[in-house]
mmCIF file of all heavy atoms in Angstrom:
data_model
loop_
_atom_site.group_PDB
_atom_site.id
_atom_site.type_symbol
_atom_site.label_atom_id
_atom_site.label_comp_id
_atom_site.label_asym_id
_atom_site.label_seq_id
_atom_site.Cartn_x
_atom_site.Cartn_y
_atom_site.Cartn_z
ATOM 1 N N GLU C 1028 -169.374 -44.461 -165.655
ATOM 2 C CA GLU C 1028 -169.079 -45.895 -165.713
ATOM 3 C C GLU C 1028 -167.993 -46.057 -166.772
ATOM 4 O O GLU C 1028 -168.276 -46.257 -167.953
ATOM 5 C CB GLU C 1028 -170.341 -46.688 -166.072
ATOM 6 C CG GLU C 1028 -170.154 -48.196 -166.023
ATOM 7 C CD GLU C 1028 -169.976 -48.843 -167.388
ATOM 8 O OE1 GLU C 1028 -170.063 -48.153 -168.419
ATOM 9 O OE2 GLU C 1028 -169.742 -50.066 -167.421
ATOM 10 N N ALA C 1029 -166.755 -45.905 -166.345
ATOM 11 C CA ALA C 1029 -165.645 -45.853 -167.299
ATOM 12 C C ALA C 1029 -164.536 -46.793 -166.848
ATOM 13 O O ALA C 1029 -163.553 -46.365 -166.260
ATOM 14 C CB ALA C 1029 -165.126 -44.423 -167.424
ATOM 15 N N PHE C 1030 -164.715 -48.085 -167.127
ATOM 16 C CA PHE C 1030 -163.635 -49.033 -166.846
ATOM 17 C C PHE C 1030 -162.687 -49.002 -168.044
ATOM 18 O O PHE C 1030 -162.810 -49.795 -168.979
ATOM 19 C CB PHE C 1030 -164.193 -50.437 -166.625
ATOM 20 C CG PHE C 1030 -165.014 -50.579 -165.382
ATOM 21 C CD1 PHE C 1030 -166.355 -50.919 -165.452
ATOM 22 C CD2 PHE C 1030 -164.455 -50.371 -164.135
ATOM 23 C CE1 PHE C 1030 -167.110 -51.065 -164.302
ATOM 24 C CE2 PHE C 1030 -165.203 -50.512 -162.973
ATOM 25 C CZ PHE C 1030 -166.537 -50.854 -163.062
ATOM 26 N N THR C 1031 -161.788 -48.069 -168.030
ATOM 27 C CA THR C 1031 -160.919 -47.854 -169.176
ATOM 28 C C THR C 1031 -159.546 -47.408 -168.688
ATOM 29 O O THR C 1031 -159.238 -47.534 -167.500
ATOM 30 C CB THR C 1031 -161.555 -46.812 -170.124
ATOM 31 O OG1 THR C 1031 -160.719 -46.635 -171.260
ATOM 32 C CG2 THR C 1031 -161.754 -45.471 -169.434
ATOM 33 N N ARG C 1032 -158.744 -46.887 -169.576
ATOM 34 C CA ARG C 1032 -157.376 -46.515 -169.239
ATOM 35 C C ARG C 1032 -157.360 -45.343 -168.259
ATOM 36 O O ARG C 1032 -158.234 -44.469 -168.301
ATOM 37 C CB ARG C 1032 -156.607 -46.171 -170.516
ATOM 38 C CG ARG C 1032 -156.616 -47.330 -171.513
ATOM 39 C CD ARG C 1032 -155.717 -47.071 -172.708
ATOM 40 N NE ARG C 1032 -156.047 -45.885 -173.462
ATOM 41 C CZ ARG C 1032 -157.017 -45.811 -174.374
ATOM 42 N NH1 ARG C 1032 -157.776 -46.865 -174.617
ATOM 43 N NH2 ARG C 1032 -157.211 -44.694 -175.046
ATOM 44 N N PRO C 1033 -156.336 -45.293 -167.384
ATOM 45 C CA PRO C 1033 -156.320 -44.268 -166.332
ATOM 46 C C PRO C 1033 -156.445 -42.847 -166.847
ATOM 47 O O PRO C 1033 -157.197 -42.046 -166.290
ATOM 48 C CB PRO C 1033 -154.970 -44.491 -165.639
ATOM 49 C CG PRO C 1033 -154.648 -45.928 -165.883
ATOM 50 C CD PRO C 1033 -155.195 -46.242 -167.233
ATOM 51 N N LYS C 1034 -155.721 -42.511 -167.905
ATOM 52 C CA LYS C 1034 -155.771 -41.129 -168.381
ATOM 53 C C LYS C 1034 -157.173 -40.755 -168.855
ATOM 54 O O LYS C 1034 -157.608 -39.607 -168.705
ATOM 55 C CB LYS C 1034 -154.738 -40.910 -169.492
ATOM 56 C CG LYS C 1034 -153.290 -40.860 -168.984
ATOM 57 C CD LYS C 1034 -152.317 -40.572 -170.112
ATOM 58 C CE LYS C 1034 -150.897 -40.371 -169.575
ATOM 59 N NZ LYS C 1034 -150.379 -41.545 -168.881
ATOM 60 N N MET C 1035 -157.892 -41.704 -169.425
ATOM 61 C CA MET C 1035 -159.259 -41.424 -169.875
ATOM 62 C C MET C 1035 -160.199 -41.266 -168.677
ATOM 63 O O MET C 1035 -161.064 -40.383 -168.666
ATOM 64 C CB MET C 1035 -159.743 -42.542 -170.801
ATOM 65 C CG MET C 1035 -158.943 -42.647 -172.084
ATOM 66 S SD MET C 1035 -159.575 -43.914 -173.203
ATOM 67 C CE MET C 1035 -161.042 -43.125 -173.832
ATOM 68 N N ILE C 1036 -160.021 -42.123 -167.674
ATOM 69 C CA ILE C 1036 -160.842 -42.010 -166.470
ATOM 70 C C ILE C 1036 -160.642 -40.645 -165.825
ATOM 71 O O ILE C 1036 -161.611 -39.959 -165.453
ATOM 72 C CB ILE C 1036 -160.483 -43.130 -165.473
ATOM 73 C CG1 ILE C 1036 -160.938 -44.493 -165.995
ATOM 74 C CG2 ILE C 1036 -161.111 -42.865 -164.108
ATOM 75 C CD1 ILE C 1036 -160.564 -45.652 -165.096
ATOM 76 N N TYR C 1037 -159.385 -40.234 -165.710
ATOM 77 C CA TYR C 1037 -159.092 -38.960 -165.056
ATOM 78 C C TYR C 1037 -159.566 -37.775 -165.892
ATOM 79 O O TYR C 1037 -160.025 -36.765 -165.342
ATOM 80 C CB TYR C 1037 -157.589 -38.855 -164.776
ATOM 81 C CG TYR C 1037 -157.094 -39.813 -163.719
ATOM 82 C CD1 TYR C 1037 -155.762 -40.203 -163.669
ATOM 83 C CD2 TYR C 1037 -157.960 -40.351 -162.759
ATOM 84 C CE1 TYR C 1037 -155.298 -41.077 -162.697
ATOM 85 C CE2 TYR C 1037 -157.505 -41.225 -161.798
ATOM 86 C CZ TYR C 1037 -156.172 -41.595 -161.763
ATOM 87 O OH TYR C 1037 -155.723 -42.457 -160.793
ATOM 88 N N ARG C 1038 -159.468 -37.874 -167.207
ATOM 89 C CA ARG C 1038 -159.944 -36.774 -168.056
ATOM 90 C C ARG C 1038 -161.444 -36.571 -167.888
ATOM 91 O O ARG C 1038 -161.924 -35.437 -167.802
ATOM 92 C CB ARG C 1038 -159.614 -37.066 -169.517
ATOM 93 C CG ARG C 1038 -159.996 -35.937 -170.486
ATOM 94 C CD ARG C 1038 -159.054 -34.757 -170.340
ATOM 95 N NE ARG C 1038 -159.344 -33.715 -171.316
ATOM 96 C CZ ARG C 1038 -158.552 -32.668 -171.544
ATOM 97 N NH1 ARG C 1038 -157.421 -32.554 -170.863
ATOM 98 N NH2 ARG C 1038 -158.862 -31.754 -172.429
ATOM 99 N N LEU C 1039 -162.193 -37.641 -167.824
ATOM 100 C CA LEU C 1039 -163.642 -37.526 -167.632
ATOM 101 C C LEU C 1039 -163.961 -36.844 -166.305
ATOM 102 O O LEU C 1039 -164.889 -36.036 -166.219
ATOM 103 C CB LEU C 1039 -164.297 -38.905 -167.702
ATOM 104 C CG LEU C 1039 -164.315 -39.558 -169.086
ATOM 105 C CD1 LEU C 1039 -164.657 -41.027 -168.979
ATOM 106 C CD2 LEU C 1039 -165.299 -38.839 -170.018
ATOM 107 N N ALA C 1040 -163.191 -37.169 -165.272
ATOM 108 C CA ALA C 1040 -163.396 -36.517 -163.978
ATOM 109 C C ALA C 1040 -163.098 -35.028 -164.082
ATOM 110 O O ALA C 1040 -163.838 -34.192 -163.544
ATOM 111 C CB ALA C 1040 -162.515 -37.167 -162.911
ATOM 112 N N LYS C 1041 -162.037 -34.679 -164.767
ATOM 113 C CA LYS C 1041 -161.708 -33.267 -164.942
ATOM 114 C C LYS C 1041 -162.822 -32.535 -165.689
ATOM 115 O O LYS C 1041 -163.122 -31.366 -165.408
ATOM 116 C CB LYS C 1041 -160.397 -33.120 -165.716
ATOM 117 C CG LYS C 1041 -159.147 -33.542 -164.962
ATOM 118 C CD LYS C 1041 -157.919 -33.396 -165.854
ATOM 119 C CE LYS C 1041 -156.649 -33.815 -165.143
ATOM 120 N NZ LYS C 1041 -155.460 -33.689 -166.016
ATOM 121 N N LEU C 1042 -163.431 -33.204 -166.653
ATOM 122 C CA LEU C 1042 -164.450 -32.567 -167.479
ATOM 123 C C LEU C 1042 -165.752 -32.311 -166.728
ATOM 124 O O LEU C 1042 -166.595 -31.553 -167.216
ATOM 125 C CB LEU C 1042 -164.738 -33.431 -168.712
ATOM 126 C CG LEU C 1042 -163.600 -33.550 -169.724
ATOM 127 C CD1 LEU C 1042 -163.943 -34.581 -170.787
ATOM 128 C CD2 LEU C 1042 -163.312 -32.207 -170.366
ATOM 129 N N GLY C 1043 -165.930 -32.963 -165.573
ATOM 130 C CA GLY C 1043 -167.125 -32.650 -164.797
ATOM 131 C C GLY C 1043 -167.831 -33.802 -164.128
ATOM 132 O O GLY C 1043 -168.753 -33.576 -163.333
ATOM 133 N N PHE C 1044 -167.454 -35.057 -164.421
ATOM 134 C CA PHE C 1044 -168.124 -36.169 -163.759
ATOM 135 C C PHE C 1044 -167.832 -36.121 -162.262
ATOM 136 O O PHE C 1044 -166.681 -36.027 -161.831
ATOM 137 C CB PHE C 1044 -167.676 -37.500 -164.356
ATOM 138 C CG PHE C 1044 -168.392 -37.840 -165.634
ATOM 139 C CD1 PHE C 1044 -167.851 -37.488 -166.868
ATOM 140 C CD2 PHE C 1044 -169.618 -38.472 -165.604
ATOM 141 C CE1 PHE C 1044 -168.507 -37.775 -168.043
ATOM 142 C CE2 PHE C 1044 -170.295 -38.774 -166.777
ATOM 143 C CZ PHE C 1044 -169.741 -38.416 -168.005
ATOM 144 N N SER C 1045 -168.891 -36.184 -161.465
ATOM 145 C CA SER C 1045 -168.780 -36.031 -160.012
ATOM 146 C C SER C 1045 -168.065 -37.211 -159.367
ATOM 147 O O SER C 1045 -167.317 -37.042 -158.397
ATOM 148 C CB SER C 1045 -170.167 -35.892 -159.387
ATOM 149 O OG SER C 1045 -170.960 -34.958 -160.081
ATOM 150 N N GLN C 1046 -168.337 -38.409 -159.877
ATOM 151 C CA GLN C 1046 -167.768 -39.644 -159.336
ATOM 152 C C GLN C 1046 -167.422 -40.552 -160.507
ATOM 153 O O GLN C 1046 -167.849 -40.317 -161.635
ATOM 154 C CB GLN C 1046 -168.767 -40.351 -158.417
ATOM 155 C CG GLN C 1046 -169.257 -39.553 -157.232
ATOM 156 C CD GLN C 1046 -170.279 -40.341 -156.414
ATOM 157 O OE1 GLN C 1046 -170.681 -41.445 -156.773
ATOM 158 N NE2 GLN C 1046 -170.707 -39.757 -155.313
ATOM 159 N N SER C 1047 -166.675 -41.610 -160.201
ATOM 160 C CA SER C 1047 -166.316 -42.533 -161.267
ATOM 161 C C SER C 1047 -166.143 -43.950 -160.740
ATOM 162 O O SER C 1047 -165.670 -44.163 -159.633
ATOM 163 C CB SER C 1047 -165.015 -42.088 -161.945
ATOM 164 O OG SER C 1047 -164.670 -42.993 -162.982
ATOM 165 N N TYR C 1048 -166.552 -44.909 -161.580
ATOM 166 C CA TYR C 1048 -166.107 -46.276 -161.357
ATOM 167 C C TYR C 1048 -164.584 -46.290 -161.484
ATOM 168 O O TYR C 1048 -163.984 -45.347 -161.985
ATOM 169 C CB TYR C 1048 -166.713 -47.209 -162.403
ATOM 170 C CG TYR C 1048 -168.166 -47.570 -162.200
ATOM 171 C CD1 TYR C 1048 -169.093 -46.636 -161.766
ATOM 172 C CD2 TYR C 1048 -168.628 -48.852 -162.484
ATOM 173 C CE1 TYR C 1048 -170.433 -46.969 -161.601
ATOM 174 C CE2 TYR C 1048 -169.966 -49.196 -162.328
ATOM 175 C CZ TYR C 1048 -170.862 -48.250 -161.890
ATOM 176 O OH TYR C 1048 -172.177 -48.585 -161.732
ATOM 177 N N ASN C 1049 -163.959 -47.390 -161.097
ATOM 178 C CA ASN C 1049 -162.509 -47.421 -161.024
ATOM 179 C C ASN C 1049 -162.040 -48.868 -160.958
ATOM 180 O O ASN C 1049 -162.806 -49.790 -161.233
ATOM 181 C CB ASN C 1049 -162.035 -46.607 -159.807
ATOM 182 C CG ASN C 1049 -162.804 -46.993 -158.563
ATOM 183 O OD1 ASN C 1049 -162.518 -48.009 -157.939
ATOM 184 N ND2 ASN C 1049 -163.824 -46.218 -158.209
ATOM 185 N N TYR C 1050 -160.793 -49.059 -160.566
ATOM 186 C CA TYR C 1050 -160.201 -50.392 -160.617
ATOM 187 C C TYR C 1050 -160.350 -51.176 -159.318
ATOM 188 O O TYR C 1050 -159.726 -52.239 -159.163
ATOM 189 C CB TYR C 1050 -158.716 -50.281 -160.973
ATOM 190 C CG TYR C 1050 -158.458 -49.532 -162.257
ATOM 191 C CD1 TYR C 1050 -157.487 -48.537 -162.319
ATOM 192 C CD2 TYR C 1050 -159.194 -49.796 -163.406
ATOM 193 C CE1 TYR C 1050 -157.258 -47.838 -163.494
ATOM 194 C CE2 TYR C 1050 -158.979 -49.103 -164.575
ATOM 195 C CZ TYR C 1050 -158.014 -48.128 -164.624
ATOM 196 O OH TYR C 1050 -157.796 -47.430 -165.779
ATOM 197 N N PHE C 1051 -161.150 -50.703 -158.398
ATOM 198 C CA PHE C 1051 -161.293 -51.386 -157.112
ATOM 199 C C PHE C 1051 -161.654 -52.872 -157.254
ATOM 200 O O PHE C 1051 -161.109 -53.709 -156.517
ATOM 201 C CB PHE C 1051 -162.335 -50.679 -156.240
ATOM 202 C CG PHE C 1051 -162.686 -51.422 -154.985
ATOM 203 C CD1 PHE C 1051 -161.794 -51.516 -153.932
ATOM 204 C CD2 PHE C 1051 -163.921 -52.051 -154.859
ATOM 205 C CE1 PHE C 1051 -162.116 -52.215 -152.777
ATOM 206 C CE2 PHE C 1051 -164.252 -52.747 -153.711
ATOM 207 C CZ PHE C 1051 -163.349 -52.831 -152.665
ATOM 208 N N PRO C 1052 -162.564 -53.276 -158.177
ATOM 209 C CA PRO C 1052 -162.920 -54.705 -158.228
ATOM 210 C C PRO C 1052 -161.736 -55.627 -158.463
ATOM 211 O O PRO C 1052 -161.808 -56.814 -158.132
ATOM 212 C CB PRO C 1052 -163.906 -54.770 -159.408
ATOM 213 C CG PRO C 1052 -164.468 -53.390 -159.518
ATOM 214 C CD PRO C 1052 -163.343 -52.473 -159.137
ATOM 215 N N TRP C 1053 -160.659 -55.090 -159.035
ATOM 216 C CA TRP C 1053 -159.503 -55.938 -159.356
ATOM 217 C C TRP C 1053 -158.295 -55.644 -158.480
ATOM 218 O O TRP C 1053 -157.187 -56.114 -158.755
ATOM 219 C CB TRP C 1053 -159.141 -55.752 -160.829
ATOM 220 C CG TRP C 1053 -160.299 -56.096 -161.716
ATOM 221 C CD1 TRP C 1053 -160.758 -57.338 -162.058
ATOM 222 C CD2 TRP C 1053 -161.189 -55.165 -162.338
ATOM 223 N NE1 TRP C 1053 -161.855 -57.243 -162.864
ATOM 224 C CE2 TRP C 1053 -162.161 -55.911 -163.060
ATOM 225 C CE3 TRP C 1053 -161.266 -53.774 -162.371
ATOM 226 C CZ2 TRP C 1053 -163.175 -55.317 -163.797
ATOM 227 C CZ3 TRP C 1053 -162.281 -53.178 -163.107
ATOM 228 C CH2 TRP C 1053 -163.217 -53.949 -163.803
ATOM 229 N N ARG C 1054 -158.459 -54.891 -157.425
ATOM 230 C CA ARG C 1054 -157.370 -54.628 -156.494
ATOM 231 C C ARG C 1054 -157.640 -55.465 -155.238
ATOM 232 O O ARG C 1054 -158.442 -55.079 -154.383
ATOM 233 C CB ARG C 1054 -157.282 -53.133 -156.143
ATOM 234 C CG ARG C 1054 -157.011 -52.238 -157.348
ATOM 235 C CD ARG C 1054 -155.639 -52.527 -157.953
ATOM 236 N NE ARG C 1054 -155.292 -51.579 -159.000
ATOM 237 C CZ ARG C 1054 -155.395 -51.813 -160.303
ATOM 238 N NH1 ARG C 1054 -155.878 -52.977 -160.720
ATOM 239 N NH2 ARG C 1054 -155.034 -50.909 -161.185
ATOM 240 N N ASN C 1055 -156.989 -56.617 -155.162
ATOM 241 C CA ASN C 1055 -157.311 -57.589 -154.116
ATOM 242 C C ASN C 1055 -156.200 -57.807 -153.107
ATOM 243 O O ASN C 1055 -156.468 -58.126 -151.951
ATOM 244 C CB ASN C 1055 -157.681 -58.936 -154.755
ATOM 245 C CG ASN C 1055 -158.943 -58.841 -155.593
ATOM 246 O OD1 ASN C 1055 -159.945 -58.314 -155.138
ATOM 247 N ND2 ASN C 1055 -158.886 -59.342 -156.824
ATOM 248 N N THR C 1056 -154.946 -57.673 -153.520
ATOM 249 C CA THR C 1056 -153.850 -57.911 -152.582
ATOM 250 C C THR C 1056 -153.558 -56.635 -151.797
ATOM 251 O O THR C 1056 -153.947 -55.531 -152.180
ATOM 252 C CB THR C 1056 -152.580 -58.353 -153.318
ATOM 253 O OG1 THR C 1056 -152.076 -57.254 -154.087
ATOM 254 C CG2 THR C 1056 -152.846 -59.536 -154.227
ATOM 255 N N LYS C 1057 -152.830 -56.822 -150.706
ATOM 256 C CA LYS C 1057 -152.465 -55.681 -149.856
ATOM 257 C C LYS C 1057 -151.704 -54.629 -150.657
ATOM 258 O O LYS C 1057 -152.003 -53.444 -150.610
ATOM 259 C CB LYS C 1057 -151.625 -56.187 -148.685
ATOM 260 C CG LYS C 1057 -151.139 -55.120 -147.728
ATOM 261 C CD LYS C 1057 -150.380 -55.789 -146.595
ATOM 262 C CE LYS C 1057 -149.872 -54.816 -145.573
ATOM 263 N NZ LYS C 1057 -149.233 -55.504 -144.439
ATOM 264 N N SER C 1058 -150.702 -55.066 -151.409
ATOM 265 C CA SER C 1058 -149.897 -54.098 -152.134
ATOM 266 C C SER C 1058 -150.696 -53.420 -153.232
ATOM 267 O O SER C 1058 -150.534 -52.225 -153.473
ATOM 268 C CB SER C 1058 -148.659 -54.801 -152.669
ATOM 269 O OG SER C 1058 -148.622 -54.927 -153.984
ATOM 270 N N GLU C 1059 -151.591 -54.134 -153.899
ATOM 271 C CA GLU C 1059 -152.436 -53.522 -154.938
ATOM 272 C C GLU C 1059 -153.343 -52.447 -154.338
ATOM 273 O O GLU C 1059 -153.491 -51.351 -154.897
ATOM 274 C CB GLU C 1059 -153.288 -54.598 -155.615
ATOM 275 C CG GLU C 1059 -152.524 -55.518 -156.533
ATOM 276 C CD GLU C 1059 -153.363 -56.683 -157.023
ATOM 277 O OE1 GLU C 1059 -154.415 -56.983 -156.410
ATOM 278 O OE2 GLU C 1059 -152.965 -57.321 -158.014
ATOM 279 N N ILE C 1060 -153.947 -52.763 -153.207
ATOM 280 C CA ILE C 1060 -154.868 -51.810 -152.575
ATOM 281 C C ILE C 1060 -154.110 -50.584 -152.086
ATOM 282 O O ILE C 1060 -154.521 -49.441 -152.333
ATOM 283 C CB ILE C 1060 -155.624 -52.490 -151.414
ATOM 284 C CG1 ILE C 1060 -156.555 -53.575 -151.955
ATOM 285 C CG2 ILE C 1060 -156.421 -51.456 -150.615
ATOM 286 C CD1 ILE C 1060 -157.145 -54.460 -150.885
ATOM 287 N N GLU C 1061 -152.994 -50.792 -151.405
ATOM 288 C CA GLU C 1061 -152.246 -49.657 -150.858
ATOM 289 C C GLU C 1061 -151.700 -48.766 -151.972
ATOM 290 O O GLU C 1061 -151.761 -47.533 -151.878
ATOM 291 C CB GLU C 1061 -151.115 -50.161 -149.965
ATOM 292 C CG GLU C 1061 -151.593 -50.795 -148.677
ATOM 293 C CD GLU C 1061 -150.460 -51.200 -147.749
ATOM 294 O OE1 GLU C 1061 -149.290 -51.147 -148.182
ATOM 295 O OE2 GLU C 1061 -150.753 -51.572 -146.593
ATOM 296 N N THR C 1062 -151.169 -49.366 -153.019
ATOM 297 C CA THR C 1062 -150.611 -48.574 -154.118
ATOM 298 C C THR C 1062 -151.696 -47.766 -154.810
ATOM 299 O O THR C 1062 -151.532 -46.566 -155.075
ATOM 300 C CB THR C 1062 -149.900 -49.491 -155.135
ATOM 301 O OG1 THR C 1062 -148.833 -50.174 -154.483
ATOM 302 C CG2 THR C 1062 -149.350 -48.681 -156.298
ATOM 303 N N TYR C 1063 -152.816 -48.415 -155.104
ATOM 304 C CA TYR C 1063 -153.874 -47.733 -155.851
ATOM 305 C C TYR C 1063 -154.505 -46.609 -155.034
ATOM 306 O O TYR C 1063 -154.671 -45.482 -155.521
ATOM 307 C CB TYR C 1063 -154.934 -48.737 -156.285
ATOM 308 C CG TYR C 1063 -155.996 -48.132 -157.170
ATOM 309 C CD1 TYR C 1063 -155.645 -47.403 -158.308
ATOM 310 C CD2 TYR C 1063 -157.345 -48.278 -156.876
ATOM 311 C CE1 TYR C 1063 -156.614 -46.844 -159.119
ATOM 312 C CE2 TYR C 1063 -158.312 -47.723 -157.691
ATOM 313 C CZ TYR C 1063 -157.948 -47.007 -158.815
ATOM 314 O OH TYR C 1063 -158.910 -46.442 -159.617
ATOM 315 N N PHE C 1064 -154.820 -46.876 -153.786
ATOM 316 C CA PHE C 1064 -155.501 -45.846 -153.000
ATOM 317 C C PHE C 1064 -154.549 -44.741 -152.549
ATOM 318 O O PHE C 1064 -154.996 -43.625 -152.280
ATOM 319 C CB PHE C 1064 -156.255 -46.479 -151.831
ATOM 320 C CG PHE C 1064 -157.553 -47.090 -152.257
ATOM 321 C CD1 PHE C 1064 -157.620 -48.404 -152.658
ATOM 322 C CD2 PHE C 1064 -158.701 -46.323 -152.317
ATOM 323 C CE1 PHE C 1064 -158.807 -48.961 -153.096
ATOM 324 C CE2 PHE C 1064 -159.901 -46.866 -152.746
ATOM 325 C CZ PHE C 1064 -159.959 -48.189 -153.140
ATOM 326 N N SER C 1065 -153.269 -45.024 -152.503
ATOM 327 C CA SER C 1065 -152.316 -43.942 -152.267
ATOM 328 C C SER C 1065 -152.314 -42.989 -153.459
ATOM 329 O O SER C 1065 -152.221 -41.766 -153.303
ATOM 330 C CB SER C 1065 -150.915 -44.505 -152.022
ATOM 331 O OG SER C 1065 -150.876 -45.222 -150.801
ATOM 332 N N GLU C 1066 -152.423 -43.529 -154.658
ATOM 333 C CA GLU C 1066 -152.514 -42.678 -155.852
ATOM 334 C C GLU C 1066 -153.774 -41.819 -155.805
ATOM 335 O O GLU C 1066 -153.737 -40.620 -156.127
ATOM 336 C CB GLU C 1066 -152.530 -43.549 -157.114
ATOM 337 C CG GLU C 1066 -152.746 -42.755 -158.398
ATOM 338 C CD GLU C 1066 -152.872 -43.646 -159.619
ATOM 339 O OE1 GLU C 1066 -152.419 -44.811 -159.568
ATOM 340 O OE2 GLU C 1066 -153.426 -43.184 -160.632
ATOM 341 N N LEU C 1067 -154.880 -42.400 -155.384
ATOM 342 C CA LEU C 1067 -156.154 -41.673 -155.387
ATOM 343 C C LEU C 1067 -156.245 -40.627 -154.285
ATOM 344 O O LEU C 1067 -157.011 -39.663 -154.416
ATOM 345 C CB LEU C 1067 -157.320 -42.651 -155.244
ATOM 346 C CG LEU C 1067 -157.513 -43.685 -156.356
ATOM 347 C CD1 LEU C 1067 -158.804 -44.453 -156.130
ATOM 348 C CD2 LEU C 1067 -157.514 -43.029 -157.726
ATOM 349 N N THR C 1068 -155.498 -40.801 -153.205
ATOM 350 C CA THR C 1068 -155.679 -39.919 -152.046
ATOM 351 C C THR C 1068 -154.476 -39.062 -151.710
ATOM 352 O O THR C 1068 -154.590 -38.144 -150.897
ATOM 353 C CB THR C 1068 -156.047 -40.745 -150.793
ATOM 354 O OG1 THR C 1068 -154.981 -41.670 -150.503
ATOM 355 C CG2 THR C 1068 -157.334 -41.522 -151.010
ATOM 356 N N ARG C 1069 -153.324 -39.318 -152.330
ATOM 357 C CA ARG C 1069 -152.111 -38.579 -151.945
ATOM 358 C C ARG C 1069 -151.465 -37.836 -153.108
ATOM 359 O O ARG C 1069 -150.376 -37.297 -152.959
ATOM 360 C CB ARG C 1069 -151.090 -39.534 -151.322
ATOM 361 C CG ARG C 1069 -151.585 -40.117 -150.010
ATOM 362 C CD ARG C 1069 -150.476 -40.855 -149.294
ATOM 363 N NE ARG C 1069 -150.925 -41.380 -148.007
ATOM 364 C CZ ARG C 1069 -150.131 -41.975 -147.130
ATOM 365 N NH1 ARG C 1069 -148.844 -42.121 -147.415
ATOM 366 N NH2 ARG C 1069 -150.603 -42.424 -145.990
ATOM 367 N N THR C 1070 -152.094 -37.838 -154.258
ATOM 368 C CA THR C 1070 -151.569 -37.117 -155.409
ATOM 369 C C THR C 1070 -152.596 -36.073 -155.840
ATOM 370 O O THR C 1070 -153.693 -35.984 -155.291
ATOM 371 C CB THR C 1070 -151.264 -38.072 -156.574
ATOM 372 O OG1 THR C 1070 -152.504 -38.574 -157.102
ATOM 373 C CG2 THR C 1070 -150.401 -39.242 -156.122
ATOM 374 N N GLU C 1071 -152.240 -35.310 -156.849
ATOM 375 C CA GLU C 1071 -153.140 -34.290 -157.387
ATOM 376 C C GLU C 1071 -154.500 -34.855 -157.780
ATOM 377 O O GLU C 1071 -155.512 -34.152 -157.774
ATOM 378 C CB GLU C 1071 -152.465 -33.664 -158.616
ATOM 379 C CG GLU C 1071 -153.300 -32.678 -159.372
ATOM 380 C CD GLU C 1071 -152.675 -32.286 -160.692
ATOM 381 O OE1 GLU C 1071 -152.843 -33.041 -161.674
ATOM 382 O OE2 GLU C 1071 -152.012 -31.236 -160.744
ATOM 383 N N VAL C 1072 -154.541 -36.150 -158.095
ATOM 384 C CA VAL C 1072 -155.777 -36.803 -158.528
ATOM 385 C C VAL C 1072 -156.912 -36.568 -157.533
ATOM 386 O O VAL C 1072 -158.078 -36.419 -157.909
ATOM 387 C CB VAL C 1072 -155.520 -38.320 -158.712
ATOM 388 C CG1 VAL C 1072 -156.823 -39.081 -158.892
ATOM 389 C CG2 VAL C 1072 -154.597 -38.544 -159.903
ATOM 390 N N ARG C 1073 -156.585 -36.517 -156.266
ATOM 391 C CA ARG C 1073 -157.620 -36.397 -155.232
ATOM 392 C C ARG C 1073 -158.405 -35.104 -155.336
ATOM 393 O O ARG C 1073 -159.510 -35.001 -154.793
ATOM 394 C CB ARG C 1073 -156.995 -36.516 -153.843
ATOM 395 C CG ARG C 1073 -156.231 -35.293 -153.370
ATOM 396 C CD ARG C 1073 -155.617 -35.547 -152.023
ATOM 397 N NE ARG C 1073 -155.404 -34.307 -151.281
ATOM 398 C CZ ARG C 1073 -155.239 -34.250 -149.971
ATOM 399 N NH1 ARG C 1073 -155.282 -35.354 -149.254
ATOM 400 N NH2 ARG C 1073 -155.070 -33.111 -149.363
#
């Protein structure tokens, strides 16, 4: 449960957290959703 800065969220995932809360509650417009989920699914982050 880490609603915090992106680098901190990603570091926790690298350290072993299986899943993470994220910025979905505040991504409401089409462009916000597409940009954010493209980052989560099309970059090394995935």
Side-chain angles (χ1 to χ4, degrees):
E1028 186 258 356
F1030 293 118
T1031 182
R1032 303 187 301 279
K1034 287 183 174 61
M1035 296 183 74
I1036 290 177
Y1037 291 157
R1038 183 73 176 191
L1039 290 166
K1041 290 178 180 179
L1042 293 172
F1044 279 93
S1045 313
Q1046 302 178 356
S1047 180
Y1048 284 40
N1049 49 79
Y1050 304 133
F1051 172 71
W1053 302 283
R1054 299 296 187 260
N1055 296 311
T1056 69
K1057 179 177 181 176
S1058 112
E1059 287 172 342
I1060 293 169
E1061 291 184 351
T1062 299
Y1063 185 52
F1064 281 90
S1065 293
E1066 175 185 339
L1067 297 187
T1068 61
R1069 295 190 178 186
T1070 69
E1071 175 190 82
V1072 169
R1073 75 182 205 160

